[in-house]
Amino acid sequence: MSASVLVGTQWGDEGKGKITDLISGDFDVVCRYGGGANAGHTVVANGHKLALHQIPSGIVHEDALSVIGNGCIVDPTVILEEIDTLKAQGLSCEGLRISGNAHIVMPYHRDLDGAHEKNLGKNLIGTTKRGIGPCYMDKMNRTGLRMQDMLDDDTFREKLAAALAYQNPILEKVYGLPTYTVEQICEEFLPYAERLRPYIIESSKLLNEELAAGKNILFEGAQATMLDIDHGTYPFVTSSNPTAGGALTGSGVGPTRIDRVVGVAKAYTTRVGEGPFPTELDDEVGEALRAKGGEFGVTTGRPRRTGWFDAVVMRYATRINGLTDICLTKLDVLSGYDTIPVCVAYEVDGVRTEEMPLDQAGFEAAVPVYEELPGWSEDISQCRSFEELPQAAQDYIMRLEELSRCRIQSIGVGPGREATIVRYPLM
Ligand code: IMP
């Protein structure tokens, strides 16, 4: 029996999907524990590239269970579309399970997300407009609807009526948006309920039974540490806990069951949406890095902001998540630089700090202190062992490992699953 958590250590898009794909064959269950259709991972099913937002990437391993935990929110339209797409590729989706306690993303959540962003004007968060914030607001406000409410038409109607009594005045009076009737939503959602019914279960029971039976579980994080509602760059964050602690509350598995916490980090940094980003390269160097790394969002197609590796953020991620290992991705993108700057500390109001500043203003004012590491010119995409890497690339890894205070387990040198240098096995 083993349970591992996989988390993003930066602002998302570190390549978690590739790592999950690489290691999920070792797991009997892959469970997502937070977020909704704001995530985006590309999986390869029967030779076809598919972008999934809601279903865990473990779905491509048909003998594994893919669980959407109670900490997630589910958009029925998105998940049903993904089920159809996967089935069209010959995947049965028989291993899919959805927690009855996961909240439902309703059409008004999307409306409110868009309207709130519009109202924020230049202070907007840059959300994915998938209704994430408003749905989690309803959860915390105890006015949300859960997947289990879909199992009974009368319960669904009753709870929806109560929710609309609260939401309609907000839609109308605060944002000047059209309101919804119970019938209107039921007409759309009750057929969804019929299709989703077979997948809805008590997932905490299932996960703990699987562990008791000696099975291995991978908790697949979406988003990332710096987007965490508690530990990220608030308010420029998502509305859930993508950090390792979220895997526990978002699944109903206790902390004593977790063996490893694996952090995925890009060899440089990217961010989508607004918010502070100390090592950002807002120039042609950043532009070239974006083009070379193919840095465009899977969910929204937005160009990602790019910058150098930030070891302050990485050390913070090691601490917040209790990382046992790091999977470093996209090292090949850094080939061809004479030197590669790595941010080792910040200067805030002229004072050097090695740690994350206490307050938001400090992080916004942080000026990166760079160490210039020697670069390499070789194409490293064919390297399959650490020793095959050019000396400068090996030194880059060793220095990142030292600065991160956590060992680097694997190094990505290309997009394919085989383009990975594994330094030691994870399991
Ligand atoms: P929301 O999660 O749609 O509310 O968006 C809040 C912030 O999180 C925005 O800056 C988004 O760009 C960012 N975000 C949400 N999901 C992801 C993701 O999967 N990858 C990267 N950024 C994300």
Side-chain angles (χ1 to χ4, degrees):
M1 168 208 112
S2 103
S4 302
V5 185
L6 189 85
V7 294
T9 60
Q10 296 157 329
W11 279 280
D13 311 308
E14 296 90 352
K16 293 183 290 295
K18 182 188 162 190
I19 304 298
T20 309
D21 183 39
L22 204 62
I23 63 176
S24 59
D26 295 335
F27 293 90
D28 306 292
V29 183
V30 178
C31 172
R32 263 194 70 182
Y33 56 85
N38 48 348
H41 39 265
T42 313
V43 296
V44 180
N46 295 337
H48 288 88
K49 264 190 170 185
L50 307 175
L52 297 181
H53 302 284
Q54 194 78 74
I55 297 182
S57 30
I59 198 77
V60 291
H61 295 279
E62 288 216 85
D63 42 357
L65 290 176
S66 283
V67 180
I68 297 184
N70 56 275
C72 295
I73 56 177
V74 179
D75 186 327
T77 54
V78 176
I79 199 162
L80 285 168
E81 214 178 283
E82 290 183 3
I83 291 172
D84 288 343
T85 309
L86 288 162
K87 283 188 174 166
Q89 297 305 327
L91 292 171
S92 71
C93 289
E94 262 171 33
L96 180 65
R97 305 284 184 277
I98 306 170
S99 166
N101 287 354
H103 278 246
I104 309 172
V105 181
M106 303 298 281
Y108 47 82
H109 290 139
R110 281 176 179 258
D111 298 348
L112 291 168
D113 195 356
H116 182 61
E117 281 283 272
K118 206 167 152 209
N119 268 18
L120 286 173
K122 67 174 180 32
N123 297 322
L124 91 172
I125 292 163
T127 72
T128 58
K129 303 222 177 77
R130 299 290 176 117
I132 306 301
C135 184
Y136 277 112
M137 272 168 76
D138 258 355
K139 172 177 175 171
M140 293 307 179
N141 199 31
R142 294 154 294 189
T143 45
L145 275 87
R146 298 187 286 176
M147 294 304 290
Q148 56 175 286
D149 299 325
M150 278 190 148
L151 297 175
D152 180 72
D153 288 9
D154 292 339
T155 308
F156 187 75
R157 268 175 212 283
E158 201 181 302
K159 295 201 172 176
L160 179 60
L164 288 179
Y166 171 76
Q167 297 290 359
N168 275 339
I170 301 178
L171 287 164
E172 190 177 8
K173 299 203 171 84
V174 179
Y175 295 108
L177 291 172
T179 55
Y180 288 88
T181 64
V182 171
E183 275 321 307
Q184 189 184 355
I185 294 185
C186 281
E187 202 178 306
E188 185 187 351
F189 273 61
L190 292 180
Y192 294 159
E194 273 326 295
R195 291 195 56 202
L196 289 171
R197 181 185 299 280
Y199 303 107
I200 302 173
I201 54 143
E202 211 288 52
S203 58
S204 161
K205 184 165 173 285
L206 170 85
L207 293 167
N208 283 284
E209 280 171 359
E210 289 289 305
L211 285 173
K215 302 289 176 63
N216 298 329
I217 300 184
L218 176 68
F219 292 99
E220 178 186 2
Q223 291 83 44
T225 303
M226 299 306 281
L227 291 173
D228 187 281
I229 186 83
D230 284 282
H231 303 290
T233 46
Y234 190 91
F236 302 101
V237 292
T238 192
S239 299
S240 63
N241 286 115
T243 45
L248 309 175
T249 50
S251 72
V253 167
T256 50
R257 298 286 181 267
I258 306 296
D259 304 285
R260 313 202 74 80
V261 182
V262 181
V264 186
K266 222 177 259 186
Y268 49 98
T269 312
T270 60
R271 175 167 201 172
V272 274
E274 304 303 313
F277 176 2
T279 62
E280 181 167 16
L281 291 162
D282 200 5
D283 55 15
E284 65 283 0
V285 183
E287 186 75 52
L289 196 53
R290 173 163 45 249
K292 209 166 160 205
E295 298 295 352
F296 298 89
V298 176
T299 304
T300 57
R302 290 180 287 181
R304 297 177 184 142
R305 299 155 67 192
T306 51
W308 300 120
F309 188 85
D310 187 333
V312 183
V313 164
M314 191 64 229
R315 277 196 291 278
Y316 182 69
T318 300
R319 161 156 61 91
I320 295 292
N321 297 294
L323 296 184
T324 54
D325 313 85
I326 295 172
C327 297
L328 194 78
T329 59
K330 292 191 144 179
L331 185 68
D332 54 307
V333 176
L334 293 185
S335 290
Y337 293 97
D338 291 339
T339 59
I340 306 171
V342 169
C343 170
V344 294
Y346 299 144
E347 248 181 42
V348 181
D349 296 331
V351 180
R352 182 184 165 113
T353 171
E354 316 264 317
E355 298 294 336
M356 194 59 71
L358 169 75
D359 58 4
Q360 190 190 337
F363 191 65
E364 271 165 13
V367 178
V369 177
Y370 285 116
E371 193 173 292
E372 294 282 336
L373 301 182
W376 59 92
S377 55
E378 297 89 332
D379 171 4
I380 59 170
S381 60
Q382 300 308 316
C383 296
R384 294 293 176 267
S385 73
F386 189 67
E387 292 67 34
E388 284 172 57
L389 287 171
Q391 190 58 47
Q394 291 188 26
D395 292 344
Y396 185 77
I397 298 295
M398 299 306 280
R399 184 65 181 132
L400 257 45
E401 194 167 63
E402 190 177 21
L403 291 166
S404 306
R405 300 195 186 126
C406 182
R407 55 190 185 160
I408 295 177
Q409 182 264 345
S410 65
I411 302 149
V413 291
R417 138 197 317 228
E418 70 299 335
T420 310
I421 296 172
V422 177
R423 296 176 80 196
Y424 57 89
L426 260 186
M427 299 273 292

